[in-house]
Amino acid sequence: MSFRERWTNEFAKMLTENEKKAFSLWLEFSQGKISESEFQSKMDLKIMPKMLGKMSAARMNALEDEVERLRKRVASLEDRLRKKS
């Protein structure tokens, strides 16, 4: 599973029902499945800004976690190389 898929699944779990609908709408728009005008007509101006704020914070956290996971993986591979030498 790609980073984007993992992040999308984890992020969707922490949203309220209305936020999930807004996120689904945003995903459809970002993937080009719906037009900008359709996106704007369907979006809830009370929910969307809150959901986008949560999304931004969650992305930063997920990226930090991914960087840490990759650092550990590199350290592990470097240890294996040293042991073989």
Side-chain angles (χ1 to χ4, degrees), residues 1 4 9 11 14 17 43 46 52 66 68 85:
M1 185 181 296
R4 179 185 213 81
N9 291 337
F11 179 65
M14 61 191 264
E17 195 60 37
M43 112 172 116
K46 292 179 183 174
L52 290 173
E66 185 72 4
E68 187 58 33
S85 299

Side-chain angles (χ1 to χ4, degrees), residues 3 62-73:
F3 172 77
L63 288 171
E64 289 171 356
D65 291 346
E66 185 72 4
V67 166
E68 187 58 33
R69 188 183 71 76
L70 291 171
R71 279 188 186 137
K72 288 178 182 177
R73 187 170 174 203

Side-chain angles (χ1 to χ4, degrees), residues 25 28-30 32-43:
L25 181 65
E28 288 177 359
F29 172 67
S30 69
K33 294 180 180 177
I34 61 173
S35 67
E36 184 174 353
S37 60
E38 186 177 355
F39 173 71
Q40 289 175 346
S41 70
K42 290 182 176 181
M43 112 172 116

Side-chain angles (χ1 to χ4, degrees), residues 11-25 44 47 50-51 54:
F11 179 65
K13 290 177 187 175
M14 61 191 264
L15 299 174
T16 66
E17 195 60 37
N18 286 336
E19 290 170 341
K20 284 181 184 179
K21 290 176 187 175
F23 183 57
S24 177
L25 181 65
D44 183 338
I47 304 284
K50 186 177 176 183
M51 189 275 305
K54 281 185 175 181

